[in-house]
Every structure is written in structure tokens, then in C-alpha cells.
Amino acid sequence: MAFLLRRSLLRAPRVATTLIPAPRRTYVNEGRPQLEESDALEAPAGRTESFVPSESPATPSVSEGDLDDHHHSAKDVRTADDKQVTCVGRLHIPVETVGRFVEYIKTEQDHLVIKQPGRRAFTVLYHTLRDACHCSQCVDQSTKQRNFRTTDIPFDIKPRSIQIEHKNVKITWDNDIEGHQDQVSHYGLDHIKHGVLKPLLEVATSRRRWRLIWNNSIMKENVHWVDYNDFMKDSEEFAVALRNLAEMGLIFVKNIPDSRAEVEKIATRLGPLRNTFYGPTWDVRNKPNAENVAYTNQFLNFHMDLMYMNEPPGFQLLHCLQNSCDGGESLFSDTFHVARSMANSKHASYMALTQLHLAYEYNHENHLYTNTWPVFELDHAPRTPGIKRRLIRVNYSPPFQSPITHRYADRDTYMPGMQALKYFAERLQAPSNVFELKMEPGQCAIFENRRVAHARRGFNTSQGERWLAGAYVDEDAVLSRIRTVCRQKDRRHVWQDRDYGHYLPRSPNQESRNKNPDVWKTHVWSED
């Protein structure tokens, strides 16, 4: 009975009282929290006695393994949200904390450790932290360029004091750069932890970005069309089109005015035109003595453009002006879909294509280009436990391949790659993986050149004509454009509402907002 009585008392609701603002507290590793004179507290309503902070220390929010009695000491404060914060460290650095975004801080000999509630602690070197300062003394506020060099920072630099107020960090330095002795560095916690790209931008717009891989049936269900007028203004439809271009690598614009100049207007919405020896824009139509197979009426098999260049263009546009002849259907295939299938079912073949380097050339009287690429190009992420190197590009263009006799003399090295390449080519052009469309005048395809392979059926020019206008835009320019739209407050929800699975925490009701959540869960590229 006594047990039940005690249990009922524990469950009894607490009586609401006037909230007391949390004092700003300055604490040093070896001393107890000290109230500043300006932070004197008034007693709650109905009480006449003075309010005195409890002298009994609360239990630290770090494990015992984080504390070394000989080198460390820990003191706690309570934030405005009554959250416990602990400071642990080897250095006697004054730390001032207000807010609920920091659980504890460790000031070590050459680095700072910050632990946020519900997240893993992260480490930042004092030298790199000083290097990240963007104050007006370090970075010109007009040009956004630095006024110092990384090598100007003393290697033994250390904080003199640290203040963290919510997500804002303020640091003064000992042994700072010459001429910067009285400088105060300001940071955001997210900027310290993630650098330039915050998690949403990293997941949505980096080369390791979240992608929806597709075959014929998935593309038919999810193909994205955007009206020309919506694409040409800063509308929500434009933001959705950019998101789908980053995720699927292929979108279409419709209702384009009948003008050869429109391909340039559409392309420059994504970034500056990529000028090549074909010109800033170019025409795909049948002509005699063609310098490129694309300028004939022959069948053109799956390929990617300009693989013989050091930096092939990232994105390509094809605007249909005329297409009245028989044939000439455009074909698209997602190389990432085939690669994911190989990674799952033929992993040895997948890895063989990461090692197989093919050479490409464009060898004409006035031009000689040549380059070599792996078929499957992985990123160069460090070998961090739990993080795999991710496929970021596919390089494949059979019409422009050049001899590789000087590269492969050993059959045992050469044949596994060739067998894997044959399988890749067969799967790439399998009908179930190919999205086919006979483009009509006023339509434009925009696709990622080093992901979506494109082809064209032969056509008969005895009746009718086929004419497409083309342009290229570099990958960096397109990703930059997507990032600037993604970070706009009134457009950010276009990306925040997307279900990025384990890449980012899910937002409430996110699954119900997705067009087809089952498809997105099943067909997302993932190696991790």
C-alpha cells in the first residue's frame, strides 16, 4: 500500500509556477559555476525567501569513460530549457553557455570536442577552427575573399575564451595571427560541424547526393515535365524541376516557343553555357560529310558526349525544333540503375568496371582530343569506417573510343573488365531499362551527361525533317544553381519534404507527402 501511495505521488502533476530565466553562467574547469552580478534572480511569485542555486552538483551527462579525475574536471549548468550542460577539458579555458543545443564541451590540448543532445560528439582542431573564421577582419564582406592565409595561423593557437549561445559560438584567441590579437571569431554550430554544405545541401546537391535510379517502368511513372513559362521564372515549379533533375538526371520542358534561340535561354537558367569547338550551342540535323555521327540519319547507340575531354560537360540540353520524319525516337537509359544491379548481383563485375579504363579520342584535321576514364568512377572519400566510396559518374561512349593496346597486355587483367563491360552494355540497352520518346517541336530534354546515356533511332529524311538544337552546362554550374534555390526560405520545403531515408532524419508526415513512397524506398541508389 505504501508503495502504491509513493507511486501515485510520483505521478501527481506538478503545480505550475512562474518560470525563472536561466542565468548566464561563466565557468572554469577548476571552479564552480559563478553567477554574474547582472544575473541576480527574483524569487518566484508567492515566495519571499531568496532564491539560491543548489549547491549539490547534478550528475554529469557524460559517461565515466569521458572523465579522468587526474586531468579533467566537470561542472554543469542548466540552460534556459532546463537542460544539463557539462564542460570537460584539459585546458583552463573559460566557457560560457546559454541554450539547449550543447550537452557538453571538452577543451583538449589541441582540439575542442562538442557534444549536442542526441548526436555524436564531434572534434574540431583549434587551428582549423581559427581558419574557418568569417568575421569582417578575416574575410572581405564585399568580395567574400580571405584577408589571411592558413599558414599565417600559429600552430599552437588556443582559445582564450569560448561563449556558446544557442547555436552561435564566439571565441577569442591566444597567440593569434599577427595583427588579429583582439579579434573575436563568430561561428554557427552547423558551420563548424559541416562546413559550407549543411546536411540537406550535402544530401541533395553534392556529387554523393541522394538519387532515384530508374528503368522504363519507373521513369514512365515518375517522368517530370515542366512548363516553359514556369521554368523561366523563379517559381516553385522551377525548384521542383531542379530537384528532380538532381535526383533522376532527366527532365523535360514543354510548350517552348518556336525559336532556335530558346535552347540558350533555357540552358542559362541552369548556368553559363559550356563553349566547345561545336560552339556555345549547336544543331543536330542530317548533313553531308558530317564530322559527327550525330549529324547523320543513322542509328546512334547509347553513349555520353565529349568523353575525350578533360572535363566532359555535366548536363546536356536537346530542344526539338522539327521532327516530322519517320523514326528518330530519342532513347534514354540510367547507367546508375545498371550499376546498382551489378553491385548487388555481380559485385566482381561491378568492381572490374571501376578498374577498367577506356580511352577516347576526337581526331580531325583541326582538333585532336584524347582522354582516359574508368567506366565506373567512384568518389575519393576517405576510408572512414562505415562510409563506402560511392559511384558519382559513369563514363561510356563507344563511338569515340580509341585504342588501348598500350594499356593492357595481360589477358588475365583485361578479360574480366571486358566481360563486365559486355554485360553492362547488354543491360543498358535492354528494353526494360530504356525510356523511349519521340520528341515533338516545343519540347526539350535536359539530362545528366555522365549518368544518363542517350541514343537515337535512325530516321528517314526523304519525307519530313528532324532538327534539334543542343547546349551544354557544366556540372558545377548546375549544382550551384540548385543549391542557391534550395537554401531560399520559401523554396527549402521542396527538398525538406522529400524522404531521404537514412541520409537525413525524416520529417513528420514526410511519407504521405511523397508521390510514391514505396518506389522511392525501393529504387534509391545505396551502397552503404
Side-chain angles (χ1 to χ4, degrees):
M1 189 68 180
F3 169 76
L4 294 176
L5 178 61
R6 287 196 303 271
R7 188 174 182 182
S8 64
L9 290 174
L10 289 173
R11 290 184 173 180
R14 296 182 179 180
V15 178
T17 59
T18 304
L19 294 178
I20 306 172
R24 182 183 297 271
R25 306 179 183 215
T26 303
Y27 51 103
V28 186
N29 290 353
E30 297 300 326
R32 296 193 56 78
Q34 301 294 325
L35 289 176
E36 297 179 359
E37 293 182 1
S38 60
D39 292 321
L41 299 178
E42 296 181 0
R47 294 177 59 181
T48 57
E49 69 272 24
S50 300
F51 176 77
V52 181
S54 172
E55 291 296 326
S56 58
T59 304
S61 61
V62 295
S63 64
E64 294 181 2
D66 289 328
L67 303 178
D68 182 337
D69 293 336
H70 182 68
H71 295 289
H72 300 79
S73 60
K75 300 300 174 185
D76 60 88
V77 298
R78 293 193 179 276
T79 67
D81 295 294
D82 204 28
K83 296 284 185 179
Q84 181 173 297
V85 177
T86 303
C87 180
V88 183
R90 299 175 185 271
L91 302 181
H92 304 299
I93 298 176
V95 179
E96 183 179 301
T97 302
V98 173
R100 59 183 177 84
F101 293 100
V102 173
E103 186 174 320
Y104 70 80
I105 305 164
K106 294 172 68 175
T107 52
E108 300 293 2
Q109 190 65 31
D110 59 0
H111 65 273
L112 191 69
V113 179
I114 301 176
K115 174 68 170 68
Q116 295 177 271
R119 302 182 183 181
R120 293 181 179 179
F122 64 94
T123 299
V124 56
L125 295 173
Y126 297 139
H127 196 273
T128 62
L129 187 57
R130 176 61 185 85
D131 185 62
C133 180
H134 276 67
C135 75
S136 58
Q137 192 173 355
C138 292
V139 177
D140 186 282
Q141 300 304 293
S142 175
T143 65
K144 306 299 182 184
Q145 295 174 351
R146 289 187 175 198
N147 298 324
F148 71 98
R149 300 169 299 181
T150 301
T151 52
D152 294 335
I153 305 172
F155 294 137
D156 58 350
I157 191 170
K158 290 180 176 60
R160 182 188 309 151
S161 65
I162 302 174
Q163 293 180 325
I164 300 181
E165 185 168 351
H166 303 295
K167 284 192 172 183
N168 301 312
V169 181
K170 185 188 299 183
I171 298 179
T172 59
W173 300 96
D174 274 335
N175 193 28
D176 201 354
I177 300 173
E178 185 176 353
H180 293 238
Q181 281 75 11
D182 297 327
Q183 174 181 314
V184 179
S185 297
H186 295 265
Y187 311 91
L189 278 175
D190 288 339
H191 183 73
I192 294 175
K193 185 175 182 180
H194 303 292
V196 176
L197 295 184
K198 293 184 178 181
L200 179 61
L201 288 176
E202 177 72 24
V203 168
T205 68
S206 73
R207 289 177 179 173
R208 288 176 58 89
R209 63 185 173 274
W210 186 94
R211 298 174 186 266
L212 171 68
I213 60 175
W214 50 267
N215 55 18
N216 175 273
S217 60
I218 296 173
M219 178 54 76
K220 282 183 176 179
E221 184 177 352
N222 294 277
V223 61
H224 185 81
W225 289 90
V226 57
D227 187 81
Y228 170 83
N229 291 325
D230 292 328
F231 191 85
M232 297 305 292
K233 60 187 179 183
D234 295 330
S235 61
E236 183 167 323
E237 290 79 5
F238 178 64
V240 173
L242 292 180
R243 186 198 68 195
N244 280 278
L245 181 60
E247 293 176 355
M248 302 184 69
L250 174 64
I251 63 171
F252 295 91
V253 183
K254 60 183 179 180
N255 300 325
I256 304 170
D258 184 15
S259 170
R260 169 66 174 74
E262 290 299 333
V263 69
E264 179 175 349
K265 295 179 182 179
I266 296 171
T268 51
R269 288 287 290 156
L270 302 173
L273 292 175
R274 166 72 178 273
N275 198 357
T276 69
F277 58 79
Y278 292 117
T281 62
W282 28 270
D283 297 292
V284 182
R285 59 197 314 181
N286 185 35
K287 65 179 183 179
N289 301 319
E291 68 273 19
N292 189 310
V293 66
Y295 301 159
T296 70
N297 63 347
Q298 303 171 21
F299 170 72
L300 179 58
N301 213 329
F302 283 104
H303 67 286
M304 298 167 176
D305 281 16
L306 279 56
M307 285 292 106
Y308 40 76
M309 290 190 169
N310 188 50
E311 284 295 333
F315 290 82
Q316 181 174 169
L317 294 86
L318 290 173
H319 171 210
C320 181
L321 294 164
Q322 296 180 23
N323 200 6
S324 57
C325 56
D326 292 335
E329 292 83 2
S330 298
L331 310 174
F332 302 94
S333 185
D334 186 4
T335 61
F336 275 43
H337 173 77
V338 179
R340 202 278 293 266
S341 175
M342 293 177 66
N344 290 340
S345 62
K346 290 181 171 290
H347 192 72
S349 296
Y350 171 83
M351 294 306 299
L353 291 185
T354 67
Q355 302 298 320
L356 178 65
H357 286 66
L358 298 178
Y360 301 95
E361 67 175 349
Y362 184 87
N363 190 354
H364 286 251
E365 181 179 356
N366 297 320
H367 302 284
L368 176 55
Y369 291 81
T370 183
N371 224 307
T372 303
W373 297 101
V375 180
F376 290 168
E377 185 177 347
L378 307 182
D379 69 354
H380 297 287
R383 290 290 187 177
T384 305
I387 298 180
K388 297 181 180 180
R389 295 181 64 191
R390 185 172 296 279
L391 181 73
I392 56 172
R393 298 188 186 102
V394 173
N395 303 294
Y396 181 71
S397 190
F400 296 94
Q401 281 182 224
S402 62
I404 52 175
T405 52
H406 61 292
R407 293 189 61 90
Y408 296 98
D410 180 27
R411 178 180 174 84
D412 292 339
T413 303
Y414 176 72
M415 288 309 297
M418 281 297 107
Q419 291 168 353
L421 185 65
K422 180 177 176 61
Y423 178 83
F424 170 78
E426 291 172 349
R427 297 308 305 157
L428 192 66
Q429 61 188 17
S432 61
N433 289 332
V434 176
F435 178 72
E436 181 173 339
L437 174 70
K438 182 162 185 177
M439 295 178 62
E440 299 177 358
Q443 297 177 348
C444 179
I446 306 176
F447 56 95
E448 189 175 351
N449 182 48
R450 301 174 79 176
R451 172 187 172 181
V452 178
H454 62 289
R456 180 201 65 208
R457 297 198 184 280
F459 54 94
N460 182 6
T461 55
S462 62
Q463 293 181 343
E465 188 174 354
R466 186 179 190 271
W467 177 19
L468 305 181
Y472 299 119
V473 183
D474 282 330
E475 179 185 39
D476 285 339
V478 176
L479 294 182
S480 172
R481 181 67 165 133
I482 297 173
R483 289 169 190 146
T484 58
V485 175
C486 179
R487 69 184 182 185
Q488 294 174 8
K489 290 185 178 180
D490 58 343
R491 298 288 177 255
R492 195 176 302 159
H493 68 92
V494 171
W495 283 267
Q496 289 175 331
D497 289 349
R498 176 63 81 223
D499 178 6
Y500 289 116
H502 70 277
Y503 288 83
L504 277 180
R506 295 162 61 87
S507 61
N509 301 320
Q510 196 170 51
E511 186 168 305
S512 63
R513 297 173 188 166
N514 289 335
K515 179 179 178 181
N516 192 337
D518 292 333
V519 169
W520 292 94
K521 289 177 184 177
T522 305
H523 300 285
V524 171
W525 171 269
S526 179
E527 296 173 88
D528 297 338

